[in-house]
Amino acid sequence: TLVALQSREVTIAGGIPFSPAPEYEVTSSNTAVATVSGVGGTTFDVNAVAAGTSTITVRDAANTTVTFVVTVP
């Protein structure tokens, strides 16, 4: 859970990075609720925009994905 206008840095561990950088593809299912920025290396920021939920998806070079849900009250 993030409060609107709050950001949190996320670290990625594992997977097969893309080459060249950025090593991972990171997307938000609902950019009206949460965006991603600063994707580079093994970190990125999740930025809360407004109330709701958004699924953040991280994809590596092997097309393996990991998702997590961000809730902004």
Side-chain angles (χ1 to χ4, degrees):
T1 300
L2 292 175
V3 177
L5 305 180
Q6 181 181 25
S7 293
R8 180 148 314 140
E9 184 177 80
V10 178
T11 300
I12 303 165
I16 300 171
F18 289 102
S19 182
E23 285 87 356
Y24 300 90
E25 178 183 275
V26 185
T27 57
S28 170
S29 68
N30 188 349
T31 57
V33 173
T35 62
V36 293
S37 63
V39 180
T42 58
T43 63
F44 64 93
D45 295 320
V46 176
N47 311 292
V49 178
T53 60
S54 178
T55 300
I56 306 299
T57 302
V58 180
R59 185 175 70 86
D60 72 2
N63 207 33
T64 301
T65 59
V66 173
T67 62
F68 60 93
V69 175
V70 173
T71 301
V72 180

